[in-house]
Amino acid sequence: MAATAEDTGTSSPRPAGRRRGTGRIAMAVSVFGELLITAGLVLGLFVVYSLWWTNVVADRAAGRQADKVREHWAEQDTGPGALDTGEGIGFLHVPAMKNGEVLVEKGTSTKVLNDGVAGYYTDPVKATLPMTGKEGNFTLAAHRDGHGAKFHNIDKLKQGDPIVFETKDKWYVYKVYAVLPETSKYNVDVLTPVPKESGRTKPGHYITLTTCTPVYTSRYRYVVWGELVRVDRVDSARTPPKELAG
């Protein structure tokens, strides 16, 4: 009688097919894991690029443009100055946002804003520039994240906070009077010369800051409105108004 595997104390060998199947599964899991790790690294690098490196590049570009504007002003002995330069019309100072001075240029296209500046609207509603002296709405936009993120801290602004716009000849001092934390990005009424959505019903000298919200998205718009309270002439030392002291 032939001895069985049971009799000899040895186990039956597993079928070769099962070993091959198990190996394929293990290999697939390993490859999938490596792909996940790679995808995570790529995503991480993209986040670093979007939230850090684009800020570095934009700040450098904005700094170069700002230097050109101030050099241009220094060369101008007469005339409006601020309206004569193609590099920028002035500088926005918003202490509550803690973002330093922000160069203001014409237009709100991605190309303009990606240089780390604020842009004034030319479409769909044309901004009224304060240097003209006309009543209207000085409407501005800037990025909230990446590319300089000049309006990143816009949510820190509250009623009564100062917003100062600097030109070659004058300081335009505004005070925040209304905030709209969220509205449709298609809501152009917030940009009208008399921004009735802010509660104002009569012509005046207004400023409007707009940016994307929530942070790191562009789904809605965050809006802050201010009203001009006074205009100071720039002295030879370019002494800032008291709102910017300290």
Short mmCIF file of all heavy atoms in Angstrom, two decimals, residues 95-141:
data_model
loop_
_atom_site.label_atom_id
_atom_site.label_comp_id
_atom_site.label_asym_id
_atom_site.label_seq_id
_atom_site.Cartn_x
_atom_site.Cartn_y
_atom_site.Cartn_z
N PRO A 95 -3.76 98.97 6.36
CA PRO A 95 -3.08 98.46 7.56
C PRO A 95 -3.67 97.16 8.10
O PRO A 95 -2.93 96.27 8.54
CB PRO A 95 -3.26 99.61 8.57
CG PRO A 95 -3.38 100.83 7.72
CD PRO A 95 -4.11 100.40 6.49
N ALA A 96 -4.99 97.02 8.07
CA ALA A 96 -5.63 95.83 8.64
C ALA A 96 -5.24 94.56 7.90
O ALA A 96 -5.28 93.46 8.46
CB ALA A 96 -7.15 95.99 8.64
N MET A 97 -4.88 94.67 6.63
CA MET A 97 -4.50 93.49 5.86
C MET A 97 -3.03 93.14 6.01
O MET A 97 -2.60 92.07 5.59
CB MET A 97 -4.85 93.68 4.37
CG MET A 97 -6.33 93.60 4.09
SD MET A 97 -6.73 93.12 2.40
CE MET A 97 -6.51 94.66 1.54
N LYS A 98 -2.24 94.06 6.59
CA LYS A 98 -0.83 93.81 6.84
C LYS A 98 -0.10 93.26 5.61
O LYS A 98 0.62 92.27 5.67
CB LYS A 98 -0.67 92.82 8.02
CG LYS A 98 -1.24 93.35 9.32
CD LYS A 98 -1.08 92.37 10.46
CE LYS A 98 -1.65 92.93 11.76
NZ LYS A 98 -1.52 91.99 12.89
N ASN A 99 -0.33 93.94 4.50
CA ASN A 99 0.26 93.48 3.24
C ASN A 99 1.19 94.51 2.61
O ASN A 99 1.54 94.41 1.44
CB ASN A 99 -0.84 93.11 2.25
CG ASN A 99 -1.79 94.26 1.98
OD1 ASN A 99 -1.70 95.31 2.63
ND2 ASN A 99 -2.70 94.09 1.04
N GLY A 100 1.59 95.52 3.40
CA GLY A 100 2.47 96.54 2.87
C GLY A 100 1.78 97.38 1.83
O GLY A 100 0.55 97.46 1.78
N GLU A 101 2.56 98.03 0.99
CA GLU A 101 1.97 98.83 -0.08
C GLU A 101 1.70 97.93 -1.29
O GLU A 101 2.47 97.03 -1.60
CB GLU A 101 2.87 100.00 -0.46
CG GLU A 101 4.21 99.59 -1.04
CD GLU A 101 5.06 100.79 -1.43
OE1 GLU A 101 4.91 101.85 -0.80
OE2 GLU A 101 5.87 100.66 -2.37
N VAL A 102 0.59 98.19 -1.96
CA VAL A 102 0.19 97.37 -3.10
C VAL A 102 0.09 98.27 -4.33
O VAL A 102 -0.68 99.23 -4.35
CB VAL A 102 -1.17 96.69 -2.86
CG1 VAL A 102 -1.57 95.85 -4.06
CG2 VAL A 102 -1.11 95.84 -1.60
N LEU A 103 0.88 97.97 -5.33
CA LEU A 103 0.83 98.73 -6.57
C LEU A 103 -0.51 98.52 -7.26
O LEU A 103 -1.03 97.40 -7.29
CB LEU A 103 1.97 98.29 -7.49
CG LEU A 103 2.07 99.01 -8.85
CD1 LEU A 103 2.36 100.49 -8.66
CD2 LEU A 103 3.14 98.35 -9.72
N VAL A 104 -1.08 99.59 -7.79
CA VAL A 104 -2.36 99.51 -8.50
C VAL A 104 -2.12 99.78 -9.98
O VAL A 104 -1.54 100.81 -10.36
CB VAL A 104 -3.37 100.53 -7.93
CG1 VAL A 104 -4.67 100.49 -8.75
CG2 VAL A 104 -3.66 100.22 -6.47
N GLU A 105 -2.58 98.85 -10.81
CA GLU A 105 -2.43 98.97 -12.26
C GLU A 105 -3.79 98.89 -12.94
O GLU A 105 -4.81 98.59 -12.30
CB GLU A 105 -1.51 97.86 -12.79
CG GLU A 105 -0.08 97.96 -12.29
CD GLU A 105 0.84 96.95 -12.95
OE1 GLU A 105 0.34 96.10 -13.73
OE2 GLU A 105 2.05 96.99 -12.70
N LYS A 106 -3.78 99.12 -14.22
CA LYS A 106 -5.01 99.11 -15.00
C LYS A 106 -5.41 97.69 -15.38
O LYS A 106 -4.60 96.92 -15.89
CB LYS A 106 -4.82 99.94 -16.28
CG LYS A 106 -6.04 99.98 -17.20
CD LYS A 106 -5.75 100.82 -18.42
CE LYS A 106 -6.96 100.88 -19.35
NZ LYS A 106 -6.68 101.70 -20.55
N GLY A 107 -6.68 97.34 -15.12
CA GLY A 107 -7.21 96.06 -15.56
C GLY A 107 -7.24 95.02 -14.46
O GLY A 107 -6.49 95.09 -13.49
N THR A 108 -8.12 94.04 -14.64
CA THR A 108 -8.28 92.97 -13.65
C THR A 108 -8.12 91.59 -14.28
O THR A 108 -8.60 90.60 -13.74
CB THR A 108 -9.66 93.06 -12.97
OG1 THR A 108 -10.68 93.03 -13.97
CG2 THR A 108 -9.79 94.35 -12.16
N SER A 109 -7.43 91.53 -15.40
CA SER A 109 -7.20 90.25 -16.04
C SER A 109 -6.23 89.42 -15.21
O SER A 109 -5.48 89.95 -14.37
CB SER A 109 -6.63 90.45 -17.44
OG SER A 109 -5.32 90.99 -17.37
N THR A 110 -6.23 88.11 -15.45
CA THR A 110 -5.30 87.22 -14.75
C THR A 110 -3.86 87.65 -14.99
O THR A 110 -3.02 87.62 -14.08
CB THR A 110 -5.51 85.77 -15.21
OG1 THR A 110 -6.84 85.37 -14.91
CG2 THR A 110 -4.54 84.83 -14.52
N LYS A 111 -3.57 88.08 -16.21
CA LYS A 111 -2.21 88.50 -16.56
C LYS A 111 -1.75 89.67 -15.69
O LYS A 111 -0.61 89.71 -15.23
CB LYS A 111 -2.15 88.90 -18.04
CG LYS A 111 -0.76 89.28 -18.53
CD LYS A 111 -0.79 89.59 -20.02
CE LYS A 111 0.62 89.90 -20.53
NZ LYS A 111 1.21 91.08 -19.87
N VAL A 112 -2.65 90.61 -15.45
CA VAL A 112 -2.31 91.77 -14.62
C VAL A 112 -2.16 91.36 -13.16
O VAL A 112 -1.14 91.64 -12.51
CB VAL A 112 -3.38 92.87 -14.76
CG1 VAL A 112 -3.13 93.99 -13.74
CG2 VAL A 112 -3.38 93.44 -16.17
N LEU A 113 -3.16 90.69 -12.62
CA LEU A 113 -3.17 90.35 -11.20
C LEU A 113 -2.09 89.35 -10.81
O LEU A 113 -1.63 89.35 -9.66
CB LEU A 113 -4.54 89.82 -10.79
CG LEU A 113 -5.74 90.75 -11.02
CD1 LEU A 113 -7.00 90.16 -10.42
CD2 LEU A 113 -5.48 92.14 -10.46
N ASN A 114 -1.67 88.51 -11.75
CA ASN A 114 -0.63 87.52 -11.44
C ASN A 114 0.73 88.15 -11.16
O ASN A 114 1.64 87.48 -10.67
CB ASN A 114 -0.49 86.51 -12.58
CG ASN A 114 -1.55 85.43 -12.52
OD1 ASN A 114 -2.41 85.42 -11.64
ND2 ASN A 114 -1.50 84.50 -13.46
N ASP A 115 0.86 89.45 -11.46
CA ASP A 115 2.12 90.15 -11.16
C ASP A 115 2.15 90.69 -9.74
O ASP A 115 3.01 91.52 -9.41
CB ASP A 115 2.34 91.29 -12.17
CG ASP A 115 2.92 90.78 -13.48
OD1 ASP A 115 3.43 89.65 -13.50
OD2 ASP A 115 2.86 91.52 -14.48
N GLY A 116 1.21 90.26 -8.91
CA GLY A 116 1.24 90.66 -7.51
C GLY A 116 0.78 92.08 -7.26
O GLY A 116 1.29 92.73 -6.34
N VAL A 117 -0.16 92.56 -8.06
CA VAL A 117 -0.67 93.92 -7.91
C VAL A 117 -2.18 93.87 -7.72
O VAL A 117 -2.81 92.82 -7.84
CB VAL A 117 -0.34 94.78 -9.15
CG1 VAL A 117 1.16 94.78 -9.41
CG2 VAL A 117 -1.10 94.27 -10.39
N ALA A 118 -2.76 95.02 -7.42
CA ALA A 118 -4.21 95.19 -7.47
C ALA A 118 -4.53 95.88 -8.79
O ALA A 118 -3.77 96.74 -9.24
CB ALA A 118 -4.71 96.02 -6.30
N GLY A 119 -5.64 95.51 -9.40
CA GLY A 119 -6.02 96.13 -10.65
C GLY A 119 -7.36 96.84 -10.53
O GLY A 119 -8.23 96.39 -9.80
N TYR A 120 -7.49 97.97 -11.22
CA TYR A 120 -8.79 98.65 -11.20
C TYR A 120 -9.61 98.22 -12.41
O TYR A 120 -9.09 97.97 -13.49
CB TYR A 120 -8.65 100.17 -11.11
CG TYR A 120 -7.99 100.86 -12.29
CD1 TYR A 120 -8.72 101.23 -13.42
CD2 TYR A 120 -6.64 101.18 -12.26
CE1 TYR A 120 -8.13 101.89 -14.48
CE2 TYR A 120 -6.03 101.85 -13.32
CZ TYR A 120 -6.79 102.20 -14.42
OH TYR A 120 -6.18 102.84 -15.47
N TYR A 121 -10.91 98.11 -12.18
CA TYR A 121 -11.82 97.58 -13.19
C TYR A 121 -11.97 98.52 -14.38
O TYR A 121 -12.14 99.73 -14.23
CB TYR A 121 -13.19 97.33 -12.59
CG TYR A 121 -13.31 96.07 -11.76
CD1 TYR A 121 -12.98 96.08 -10.41
CD2 TYR A 121 -13.73 94.87 -12.33
CE1 TYR A 121 -13.08 94.93 -9.63
CE2 TYR A 121 -13.84 93.71 -11.56
CZ TYR A 121 -13.51 93.74 -10.21
OH TYR A 121 -13.61 92.60 -9.45
N THR A 122 -11.91 97.93 -15.57
CA THR A 122 -12.26 98.64 -16.79
C THR A 122 -13.46 97.97 -17.46
O THR A 122 -14.03 98.51 -18.40
CB THR A 122 -11.07 98.63 -17.78
OG1 THR A 122 -10.70 97.27 -18.06
CG2 THR A 122 -9.87 99.36 -17.19
N ASP A 123 -13.83 96.79 -16.96
CA ASP A 123 -14.93 96.00 -17.49
C ASP A 123 -15.38 95.02 -16.41
O ASP A 123 -14.53 94.51 -15.67
CB ASP A 123 -14.46 95.25 -18.75
CG ASP A 123 -15.56 94.43 -19.38
OD1 ASP A 123 -16.46 95.03 -19.99
OD2 ASP A 123 -15.53 93.19 -19.25
N PRO A 124 -16.65 94.76 -16.21
CA PRO A 124 -17.82 95.24 -16.96
C PRO A 124 -18.26 96.64 -16.56
O PRO A 124 -19.07 97.25 -17.24
CB PRO A 124 -18.87 94.20 -16.60
CG PRO A 124 -18.53 93.77 -15.23
CD PRO A 124 -17.03 93.77 -15.18
N VAL A 125 -17.77 97.14 -15.41
CA VAL A 125 -18.09 98.50 -14.98
C VAL A 125 -16.77 99.25 -14.81
O VAL A 125 -15.87 98.78 -14.12
CB VAL A 125 -18.88 98.51 -13.66
CG1 VAL A 125 -19.18 99.95 -13.24
CG2 VAL A 125 -20.17 97.71 -13.78
N LYS A 126 -16.66 100.39 -15.43
CA LYS A 126 -15.41 101.13 -15.41
C LYS A 126 -15.23 101.86 -14.08
O LYS A 126 -16.12 102.56 -13.61
CB LYS A 126 -15.39 102.14 -16.56
CG LYS A 126 -14.04 102.82 -16.75
CD LYS A 126 -14.07 103.70 -17.98
CE LYS A 126 -12.71 104.36 -18.20
NZ LYS A 126 -12.72 105.24 -19.40
N ALA A 127 -14.06 101.69 -13.49
CA ALA A 127 -13.75 102.35 -12.22
C ALA A 127 -13.59 103.85 -12.42
O ALA A 127 -13.13 104.32 -13.46
CB ALA A 127 -12.47 101.78 -11.63
N THR A 128 -13.96 104.61 -11.40
CA THR A 128 -13.72 106.05 -11.39
C THR A 128 -12.45 106.31 -10.59
O THR A 128 -12.39 106.04 -9.38
CB THR A 128 -14.89 106.81 -10.73
OG1 THR A 128 -16.09 106.52 -11.44
CG2 THR A 128 -14.65 108.31 -10.75
N LEU A 129 -11.42 106.79 -11.24
CA LEU A 129 -10.14 107.01 -10.57
C LEU A 129 -10.22 108.25 -9.68
O LEU A 129 -10.75 109.29 -10.10
CB LEU A 129 -9.02 107.17 -11.59
CG LEU A 129 -8.83 106.00 -12.58
CD1 LEU A 129 -7.61 106.24 -13.45
CD2 LEU A 129 -8.72 104.69 -11.84
N PRO A 130 -9.72 108.16 -8.47
CA PRO A 130 -9.84 109.29 -7.54
C PRO A 130 -9.14 110.55 -8.02
O PRO A 130 -9.54 111.67 -7.69
CB PRO A 130 -9.22 108.75 -6.25
CG PRO A 130 -8.39 107.58 -6.65
CD PRO A 130 -9.06 107.00 -7.84
N MET A 131 -8.07 110.38 -8.84
CA MET A 131 -7.32 111.54 -9.30
C MET A 131 -8.13 112.46 -10.20
O MET A 131 -7.78 113.61 -10.39
CB MET A 131 -6.06 111.08 -10.04
CG MET A 131 -5.11 110.28 -9.17
SD MET A 131 -5.55 108.52 -9.16
CE MET A 131 -5.00 108.00 -10.76
N THR A 132 -9.23 111.94 -10.75
CA THR A 132 -10.06 112.77 -11.63
C THR A 132 -10.91 113.76 -10.84
O THR A 132 -11.40 114.75 -11.39
CB THR A 132 -11.01 111.89 -12.47
OG1 THR A 132 -11.93 111.22 -11.59
CG2 THR A 132 -10.23 110.86 -13.26
N GLY A 133 -11.09 113.48 -9.55
CA GLY A 133 -11.92 114.35 -8.73
C GLY A 133 -13.41 114.13 -8.90
O GLY A 133 -14.23 114.77 -8.24
N LYS A 134 -13.78 113.21 -9.78
CA LYS A 134 -15.20 112.96 -10.05
C LYS A 134 -15.80 112.01 -9.02
O LYS A 134 -15.11 111.15 -8.46
CB LYS A 134 -15.36 112.36 -11.44
CG LYS A 134 -14.90 113.28 -12.57
CD LYS A 134 -15.05 112.58 -13.91
CE LYS A 134 -14.59 113.49 -15.04
NZ LYS A 134 -14.70 112.80 -16.38
N GLU A 135 -17.10 112.14 -8.79
CA GLU A 135 -17.79 111.19 -7.94
C GLU A 135 -17.88 109.85 -8.66
O GLU A 135 -18.00 109.81 -9.89
CB GLU A 135 -19.19 111.70 -7.60
CG GLU A 135 -19.19 112.92 -6.70
CD GLU A 135 -20.59 113.38 -6.36
OE1 GLU A 135 -21.47 113.26 -7.24
OE2 GLU A 135 -20.81 113.85 -5.23
N GLY A 136 -17.84 108.79 -7.90
CA GLY A 136 -17.91 107.46 -8.50
C GLY A 136 -17.30 106.43 -7.59
O GLY A 136 -17.10 106.66 -6.39
N ASN A 137 -16.97 105.28 -8.16
CA ASN A 137 -16.52 104.13 -7.38
C ASN A 137 -15.17 103.66 -7.91
O ASN A 137 -15.05 103.25 -9.07
CB ASN A 137 -17.56 103.02 -7.49
CG ASN A 137 -17.38 101.94 -6.44
OD1 ASN A 137 -16.42 101.96 -5.67
ND2 ASN A 137 -18.29 100.99 -6.41
N PHE A 138 -14.16 103.73 -7.06
CA PHE A 138 -12.80 103.27 -7.40
C PHE A 138 -12.75 101.78 -7.07
O PHE A 138 -12.51 101.38 -5.94
CB PHE A 138 -11.79 104.06 -6.58
CG PHE A 138 -10.35 103.77 -6.89
CD1 PHE A 138 -9.94 103.39 -8.16
CD2 PHE A 138 -9.38 103.89 -5.90
CE1 PHE A 138 -8.60 103.14 -8.45
CE2 PHE A 138 -8.04 103.64 -6.16
CZ PHE A 138 -7.66 103.26 -7.44
N THR A 139 -13.01 100.95 -8.06
CA THR A 139 -13.19 99.50 -7.85
C THR A 139 -11.91 98.74 -8.16
O THR A 139 -11.32 98.91 -9.22
CB THR A 139 -14.33 98.98 -8.73
OG1 THR A 139 -14.13 99.42 -10.09
CG2 THR A 139 -15.68 99.52 -8.26
N LEU A 140 -11.51 97.87 -7.22
CA LEU A 140 -10.23 97.17 -7.33
C LEU A 140 -10.40 95.68 -7.07
O LEU A 140 -11.29 95.25 -6.35
CB LEU A 140 -9.25 97.73 -6.30
CG LEU A 140 -8.93 99.23 -6.38
CD1 LEU A 140 -8.21 99.68 -5.13
CD2 LEU A 140 -8.10 99.53 -7.62
N ALA A 141 -9.48 94.90 -7.64
CA ALA A 141 -9.44 93.46 -7.41
C ALA A 141 -7.99 93.02 -7.23
O ALA A 141 -7.07 93.65 -7.77
CB ALA A 141 -10.07 92.70 -8.58
#
